[in-house]
Amino acid sequence: MAEVVVSEAISGPAMDSLKAEFDVLSIPSLWQDEDALRSAMKDAKAIIVRNQTQVSAALIESSSQLQVVARAGAGLDNVDTAAASRRGVVVTYAPRENSLAVAELTMGFLLNLARDIPSAHIDTRAGNWNRTHFVGTELSGKILGLVGFGRIGQLVAKRAVAFGMSIVAYDKFLPNDVPLVDQLGVKMLEFEEVLKLSDFVSCHVPLVAETHHLFSHHQFSQMKDSACFLNTSRGEVVDERALYEALSIGGLRGAAVDVREIEPPEPGGLADLTNVIVTPHIGAFSHEAQMRVVDAVCHDVRSVLRGEQPRNPFVSK
Ligand code: NAD
């Protein structure tokens, strides 16, 4: 029986070193087979997952030797942290290691939405040369609304300011003393004010009960018809049907979404709209970020199994 179970595609030099030290069972599709996962976990001391494996209370409770759950990424919405804590199982993750990759994808979305680069690309590949069809807007002078001003929101703000944007933000739990707020001249406002003022609204909150469908019909109706909406956080934060309707009736100019309510989504829906950019949850997928993430979780699994302190334990607030 393996000591460490890896139930999704996770590889790299750090994983190779972990395999040299421990008995590791690594099956990228294991998350899809609940019975096989349960059986592999029976005597395992550690599990390493991305965001597909549901590390439920039942799975944690049926794993009698489990010491550590390591989530190769930032959000912990697929790990029952309360159940882990009840069983004395350490949860570690990689809260900072992929933030830059997500922030850079967000900047890519902003530029692509502003100039409609995807449509121009498709049209030009089709053999056309329609220069005047693709008159976009500039980011400079526009207002970027950030909903969630944590690690990723702040990295986006720094980059957007360099493009000449001004930043308004809403964050329910941000401490008062974040120096970047003054440094960048960020206006911290109420949620509704951010929605009403912004030319682009970008979502960077975690998925928790309170943020489920944080963006629905009412919120999209508050936004300018000329505004664009970006989501690189979690799909369930957005009522996708409401977003689809807002985009279809001209209530929003465009949207870019990396994450979906159901992943992978059914064909059609948002992906059928020409004013929407869709990507398959690639926010964290830069080579550099993946290296950092895999290094971080392998380091922490090794630490816990050796009886040492992990670097990134999840601590509930
Ligand atoms: P973070 O914890 O640093 O920041 C999140 C911010 O949201 C915090 O400042 C928090 O106070 C705020 N917040 C929480 N609940 C809120 C609410 N109800 N209303 C307003 N603000 C609220 O997290 P982060 O590193 O910036 O990451 C944000 C999210 O991005 C993650 O939770 C994760 O779901 C997502 N993410 C996605 C990818 C991807 O591949 N697309 C990769 C990494 C992270």
Side-chain angles (χ1 to χ4, degrees), residues 144-145 147 194-195 198-203 215 223 228-230:
L144 172 63
V147 176
V194 168
L195 297 176
S198 303
D199 300 300
F200 297 84
V201 173
S202 189
C203 175
F215 287 88
M223 289 172 59
C228 291
F229 175 73
L230 295 78

Side-chain angles (χ1 to χ4, degrees), residues 174-220:
L174 194 73
N176 289 325
D177 54 353
V178 174
L180 202 68
V181 170
D182 284 341
Q183 284 163 19
L184 298 181
V186 177
K187 282 195 195 131
M188 297 304 301
L189 302 173
E190 290 304 318
F191 187 28
E192 201 154 299
E193 293 175 294
V194 168
L195 297 176
K196 284 181 177 164
L197 278 174
S198 303
D199 300 300
F200 297 84
V201 173
S202 189
C203 175
H204 301 286
V205 295
L207 174 65
V208 289
E210 196 183 351
T211 57
H212 182 264
H213 285 191
L214 181 68
F215 287 88
S216 190
H217 294 280
H218 176 69
Q219 288 69 32
F220 292 126

Side-chain angles (χ1 to χ4, degrees), residues 74-75 77 95 98-99 102 148-153 170-174 204-207 210-211 232-234 258-259 281-284:
D77 37 281
N98 61 25
S99 311
V102 183
F149 198 64
R151 283 176 292 263
I152 296 171
Y170 165 67
D171 190 307
K172 197 166 177 184
F173 305 107
L174 194 73
H204 301 286
V205 295
L207 174 65
E210 196 183 351
T211 57
T232 55
S233 66
R234 282 290 178 270
D258 182 45
V259 285
H281 201 148
I282 56 168

Side-chain angles (χ1 to χ4, degrees), residues 41-210:
M41 287 299 295
K42 205 167 164 290
D43 299 311
K45 296 177 182 165
I47 180 167
I48 307 181
V49 304
R50 285 193 187 277
N51 69 331
Q52 307 267 30
T53 314
Q54 293 307 313
V55 187
S56 62
L59 184 67
I60 291 168
E61 277 151 23
S62 67
S63 310
S64 57
Q65 306 298 313
L66 192 61
Q67 296 178 31
V68 54
V69 175
R71 154 80 172 104
L76 283 168
D77 37 281
N78 58 321
V79 178
D80 191 329
T81 53
S85 157
R86 280 197 301 276
R87 290 292 300 261
V89 172
V90 177
V91 175
T92 72
Y93 63 141
R96 288 167 295 275
E97 286 70 8
N98 61 25
S99 311
L100 184 59
V102 183
E104 290 193 359
L105 181 72
T106 307
M107 293 311 296
F109 278 171
L110 280 171
L111 289 162
N112 274 280
L113 286 166
R115 300 296 296 272
D116 199 5
I117 297 170
S119 302
H121 171 73
I122 290 166
D123 192 65
T124 309
R125 273 183 78 147
N128 300 315
W129 195 251
N130 287 318
R131 293 183 65 208
T132 54
H133 285 198
F134 300 105
V135 180
T137 57
E138 293 172 358
L139 294 181
S140 183
K142 302 298 183 304
I143 299 178
L144 172 63
L146 295 170
V147 176
F149 198 64
R151 283 176 292 263
I152 296 171
Q154 292 179 31
L155 288 169
V156 171
K158 280 190 202 164
R159 283 151 184 79
V161 164
F163 274 83
M165 302 188 86
S166 40
I167 312 293
V168 296
Y170 165 67
D171 190 307
K172 197 166 177 184
F173 305 107
L174 194 73
N176 289 325
D177 54 353
V178 174
L180 202 68
V181 170
D182 284 341
Q183 284 163 19
L184 298 181
V186 177
K187 282 195 195 131
M188 297 304 301
L189 302 173
E190 290 304 318
F191 187 28
E192 201 154 299
E193 293 175 294
V194 168
L195 297 176
K196 284 181 177 164
L197 278 174
S198 303
D199 300 300
F200 297 84
V201 173
S202 189
C203 175
H204 301 286
V205 295
L207 174 65
V208 289
E210 196 183 351

